[in-house]
Amino acid sequence: MNTQNGKLLSVIIPSYNEQDMIAKTFHTVKKILDGEKIPFEILFVDDGSRDLTYTNIHQLSNHNPQVKGISFSRNFGKEAAIFAGLEAAAGDCCVIMDCDLQHPPGTIVSMYRLWEQGFEVVEGVKASRGRENPLHTLCANGFYGIISRVTGIDMANASDFKLLDRRAVEALLLLPERAPFFRALSSWIGFQTATVPFEVQERTVGTSKWSLGSLIRYAIRNITSFSGAPMQFVTFMGWIMFLLSVVLGIQSLYRYFTGTAQEGFTTVILLQLFIGSVLMISLGIIGHYISRIYDELKGRPRYIISKRCGY
């Protein structure tokens, strides 16, 4: 493997309502990377925050040439912020990490050293999820279990915390979809990959911006953007209904010819409710995919940048 000494590292940090973490995150990362003599830039992407996140980024960039900032015109979501950072980054490799320091900055050094050895994608893998709401953990495990099965990519402990070589970044930026799922796509593109375990750290300032509702919407959007598996649910339920109708049909004919047929009002009502539910769920799934197709056809940009600093 080739060694790539002294190449620039871009640290991309999506930020939403993180005014209290901007300076702390910068100084924490800077101290570690300066200590390891790793040349770097830090690119904060303000995802339409409602507080002073961008103001603090701008002030920080005025006194630190290593800091650059981008601010969206509104909240476009974390995936959009990640891709905006990848497009704006100047580094030979890029690390994506959270602004709340739950991704331990010290792990960046291990990732960079593996990249120096020639690995093009270095994934941070959660050794544990830290102290987390049990319902959140259950939902996350269920989501990644489904994603792993439908994509064939093991995402049980996957995270957005990863390093990408410039070639991998360019491959990601070639993908045209309007609603990309970064966590899965960064594995899907391939390249020579290594993993680094890390412990999720406790947030020291503020609270998580993810509610249960937003996590559910995030899961649905990413499952449908990356896989057509939910569409197979419609086919599967169709076959189930067909088999049930064959069994019930044989049973009804048997009772008719043997003279033991009885009134089946309750059975009919239950069947109608079951079939109606399946049909409505199936139409909902199909409608959701049609909506996704419509969004892709419109071809709107993933995000709109309103301000920049540090350039």
Side-chain angles (χ1 to χ4, degrees):
M1 298 180 182
N2 295 325
T3 300
Q4 306 160 37
N5 292 320
K7 297 294 185 68
L8 181 66
L9 167 67
S10 293
V11 182
I12 298 167
I13 306 179
S15 310
Y16 178 65
N17 292 344
E18 295 284 5
Q19 63 179 13
D20 298 325
M21 289 298 299
I22 297 300
K24 180 177 181 179
T25 299
F26 166 70
H27 290 297
T28 301
V29 174
K30 175 179 170 58
K31 180 179 179 180
I32 291 171
L33 296 182
D34 281 346
E36 294 290 331
K37 297 184 173 18
I38 297 175
F40 70 95
E41 64 172 6
I42 295 183
L43 177 56
F44 289 98
V45 183
D46 171 31
D47 187 16
S49 299
R50 299 175 184 175
D51 59 7
L52 298 177
T53 295
Y54 182 72
T55 300
N56 292 350
I57 294 170
H58 191 276
Q59 291 175 352
L60 201 61
S61 71
N62 288 337
H63 300 93
N64 299 276
Q66 294 160 312
V67 175
K68 297 178 181 178
I70 290 173
S71 181
F72 287 169
S73 61
R74 66 170 178 82
N75 178 246
F76 283 92
K78 186 177 181 180
E79 308 294 312
I82 290 173
F83 275 80
L86 292 175
E87 289 189 8
D92 299 284
C93 61
C94 301
V95 164
I96 294 87
M97 67 173 290
D98 288 349
C99 191
D100 56 17
L101 294 180
Q102 288 192 292
H103 294 159
T107 307
I108 296 175
V109 177
S110 301
M111 292 177 166
Y112 188 83
R113 299 308 179 204
L114 285 169
W115 174 74
E116 286 184 317
Q117 296 173 30
F119 290 101
E120 295 162 298
V121 176
V122 183
E123 300 192 6
V125 177
K126 295 176 183 176
S128 73
R129 301 188 65 90
R131 287 193 297 175
E132 187 176 68
N133 184 306
L135 181 59
H136 186 172
T137 301
L138 179 65
C139 292
N141 290 338
F143 166 61
Y144 289 115
I146 293 171
I147 279 287
S148 297
R149 283 193 293 272
V150 301
T151 63
I153 300 171
D154 183 9
M155 299 188 63
N157 296 303
S159 72
D160 292 327
F161 188 30
K162 55 189 67 186
L163 179 147
L164 302 173
D165 179 74
R166 173 52 56 182
R167 289 177 60 206
V169 171
E170 290 174 355
L172 275 175
L173 295 179
L174 286 175
L175 303 179
E177 51 242 61
R178 299 295 93 194
F181 182 20
F182 171 74
R183 200 170 297 188
L185 288 175
S186 55
S187 297
W188 178 85
I189 58 174
F191 293 102
Q192 193 164 3
T193 303
T195 60
V196 175
F198 72 94
E199 297 282 344
V200 177
Q201 304 300 298
E202 294 300 319
R203 174 187 273 269
T204 57
V205 178
T207 58
S208 173
K209 308 306 183 294
W210 291 94
S211 65
L212 181 60
S214 63
L215 286 170
I216 291 173
R217 289 192 295 272
Y218 176 80
I220 293 173
R221 182 178 69 247
N222 288 323
I223 288 173
T224 54
S225 69
F226 196 76
S227 170
M231 291 289 286
Q232 305 307 314
F233 170 81
V234 179
T235 304
F236 174 75
M237 292 307 298
W239 279 107
I240 292 295
M241 293 307 301
F242 172 74
L243 293 174
L244 285 175
S245 66
V246 170
V247 172
L248 289 174
I250 293 172
Q251 181 190 48
S252 298
L253 289 173
Y254 173 79
R255 287 186 173 182
Y256 175 78
F257 287 116
T258 59
T260 59
Q262 298 177 351
E263 293 184 5
F265 182 75
T266 303
T267 303
V268 171
I269 293 299
L270 290 175
L271 281 174
Q272 286 181 336
L273 290 173
F274 179 67
I275 293 170
S277 298
V278 171
L279 287 175
M280 295 305 293
I281 292 172
S282 300
L283 287 173
I285 293 173
I286 294 170
H288 184 77
Y289 273 94
I290 291 173
S291 173
R292 298 307 300 268
I293 293 170
Y294 177 58
D295 288 340
E296 292 291 329
L297 287 176
K298 284 187 291 190
R300 291 176 181 172
R302 291 171 178 157
Y303 53 85
I304 297 173
I305 296 174
S306 63
K307 303 172 188 174
R308 294 176 185 265
C309 62
Y311 286 88

